[in-house]
Amino acid sequence: MKNLRETCWDKAGHFFDLPDFLSWKATGVTARSLCSLVCKWTYSAEKGWDDSFWKLIGLEDFVADNYSKIGNQVLPPGASLGNGLTPEAARDLGLPAGIAVAASLIDAHAGGLGVIGADVRGHGLACEGQPVTSRLAVICGTSSCHMGISKDPIFVPGVWGPYFSAMVPGFWLNEGGQSVTGKLIDHVVRGHAAFPELQAKATARCQSVYAYLNSHLDLIKKARPVGFLTVDLHVWPDFHGNRSPLADLTLKGMVTGLKLSQDLDDLAILYLATVQAIAFGTRLIIEALEAAGHSLSTLFLCGGLSKNPLFVQMHADITGMPVVLSQEVESVLVGAAILGACASGDFASVQEAMSRMSKVGKVVFPRLEDKRYYDKKYQVFLKLVEHQKEYAAIMKGD
């Protein structure tokens, strides 16, 4: 705005978040998604835009012409946009013109929508007899998002929200998160001296390196459960700062229990400890949510990391909660399909579409006999960050 005002800023007709840009390209309608504006643009579902904020940061231009550049028509998830797909967009996509297009969701929120409303009858889950607010959706890929909903607004320190109707219409959303979780696992594995050996052996078996590591852990665990291999190795996973619930971007990663060995066993155990650390981070987020007023009993996982059985089992064991995996593994697409089905009129509400279109694929229960072990490791996990802060204080002192 300051440096390219005449060439760029003044010529811009609209400013879109990606989901809204795509729906505009599809329909020609500039209406914005409530999800995008509430979660990323400081819009209030109840009060609308806050003029004072834009003036405070020097972007008062956005207030002009009834917010025409940032959106003055805001629609809830699943609402139908205009006359549907334009002829031009239909040609580009190979679809019929006029097909319904829904007001969008952010990708992670679509994943949450795609799993959290599944019909769980017959699976022995506590959430079967509980409201949908007892469920926590965890969308885990390169990073992880933890989506919890409530009937009333709940303010959780270090957790984003509450946002009204930002994922499920009529419910408030709290969004916890862990930065670069999938990327962290890749970083730890690929940076190890034994990675070339791992890669060669996995390729020879036509497996991914993670499938091979999981099978290797089963080989070396001996008589005890695989999680016990990390009894002397502990990881604090915030190599890129903490998003939730500590909201401290200065935090760094920590590993205690390293040895001189750099063989495949060593790599496999460090990989396991990193996966466990991410699960302990999820446990810390759950505790923050529950301390603020959420009541949670079941995890619903989706995203790339949910395809890793070890990652799923560790989340069940470490949180003490069963994990539900969707029948359709690409839950973000299920969420998008739910929105489309509402826009086309196939369902009267998003909640109805969720219960009809989301299916349980597999349920992974925690190994409750290992609870004492993971409770001890969790104590160490919390000590790690406590010590890191003490070290920082020492170094900053006189």
Side-chain angles (χ1 to χ4, degrees):
M1 178 180 176
K2 290 180 179 178
N3 300 322
L4 295 171
R5 181 169 193 109
E6 292 181 0
T7 55
C8 293
W9 185 262
D10 289 344
K11 291 182 179 180
H14 301 281
F15 292 87
F16 291 109
D17 219 85
L18 178 59
D20 295 327
F21 173 78
L22 293 174
S23 62
W24 169 66
K25 290 291 286 184
T27 64
V29 176
T30 60
R32 306 306 203 274
S33 156
L34 183 66
C35 176
S36 294
L37 295 194
V38 166
C39 295
K40 295 191 175 184
W41 285 72
T42 72
Y43 184 87
S44 168
E46 300 156 298
K47 299 177 182 178
W49 292 112
D50 182 351
D51 294 0
S52 64
F53 171 75
W54 297 119
K55 293 173 183 176
L56 180 67
I57 64 172
L59 293 179
E60 57 270 14
D61 288 26
F62 282 161
V63 176
D65 299 324
N66 191 29
Y67 315 100
S68 61
K69 289 191 175 185
I70 57 174
N72 49 30
Q73 183 186 9
V74 184
L75 298 176
S80 182
L81 289 170
N83 297 316
L85 208 59
T86 64
E88 180 184 9
R91 284 194 302 271
D92 291 341
L93 296 172
L95 294 169
I99 195 169
V101 177
S104 58
L105 287 173
I106 299 165
D107 52 358
H109 299 61
L113 190 75
V115 296
I116 204 168
D119 183 353
V120 297
R121 287 177 295 183
H123 293 278
L125 292 165
C127 67
E128 179 180 337
Q130 297 172 341
V132 69
T133 52
S134 67
R135 307 176 182 194
L136 183 72
V138 185
I139 301 86
C140 37
T142 305
S143 293
S144 296
C145 294
H146 302 69
M147 306 290 195
I149 59 175
S150 58
K151 287 300 291 181
D152 299 306
I154 298 174
F155 290 85
V156 187
V159 171
W160 296 353
Y163 307 126
F164 185 65
S165 290
M167 185 173 79
V168 182
F171 288 86
W172 293 84
L173 171 70
N174 281 115
E175 179 186 344
Q178 295 166 290
S179 298
V180 293
T181 44
K183 180 65 176 175
L184 173 62
I185 297 171
D186 281 344
H187 173 78
V188 167
V189 170
R190 293 179 181 276
H192 196 279
F195 179 71
E197 178 189 354
L198 166 65
Q199 196 170 35
K201 289 185 173 180
T203 301
R205 281 197 195 173
C206 298
Q207 287 183 312
S208 72
V209 292
Y210 298 110
Y212 188 92
L213 281 172
N214 291 350
S215 62
H216 190 78
L217 286 167
D218 282 334
L219 284 176
I220 64 176
K221 70 178 183 181
K222 299 178 181 176
R224 307 192 80 184
V226 68
F228 285 65
L229 287 167
T230 60
V231 65
D232 296 319
L233 185 66
H234 310 281
V235 173
W236 179 265
D238 291 329
F239 286 43
H240 195 58
N242 181 280
R243 175 176 154 188
S244 297
L246 305 179
D248 186 345
L249 57 82
T250 69
L251 290 179
K252 307 295 191 295
M254 301 173 73
V255 182
T256 177
L258 293 173
K259 300 182 294 184
L260 283 174
S261 60
Q262 291 186 313
D263 59 15
L264 195 54
D265 288 3
D266 180 64
L267 168 53
I269 294 171
L270 182 59
Y271 154 71
L272 171 61
T274 304
V275 170
Q276 289 175 334
I278 293 168
F280 283 122
T282 292
R283 177 169 169 174
L284 186 59
I285 291 169
I286 290 170
E287 288 187 356
L289 290 167
E290 294 192 319
H294 283 272
S295 180
L296 303 167
S297 67
T298 311
L299 301 182
F300 287 69
L301 261 61
C302 65
L305 289 175
S306 70
K307 301 173 186 178
N308 183 334
L310 179 73
F311 186 90
V312 174
Q313 189 66 59
M314 287 299 103
H315 271 71
D317 293 348
I318 286 168
T319 64
M321 293 184 182
V323 173
V324 176
L325 300 175
S326 179
Q327 190 177 88
E328 170 51 62
V329 294
E330 303 299 343
S331 296
V332 173
L333 300 183
V334 174
I338 287 170
L339 298 177
C342 290
S344 65
D346 290 324
F347 297 102
S349 68
V350 170
Q351 286 90 333
E352 181 190 357
M354 287 163 56
S355 65
R356 295 279 297 277
M357 295 178 67
S358 302
K359 304 293 181 185
V360 175
K362 184 179 181 182
V363 177
V364 177
F365 288 95
R367 291 172 51 92
L368 295 178
E369 62 271 26
D370 300 340
K371 181 180 184 302
R372 178 167 167 75
Y373 171 75
Y374 288 114
D375 284 348
K376 288 181 179 180
K377 275 192 68 78
Y378 187 53
Q379 290 179 44
V380 175
F381 180 79
L382 297 178
K383 283 286 186 184
L384 287 175
V385 71
E386 180 184 328
H387 289 172
Q388 181 174 159
K389 291 178 178 179
E390 289 177 6
Y391 305 156
I394 291 170
M395 296 308 295
K396 289 176 182 175
D398 295 332

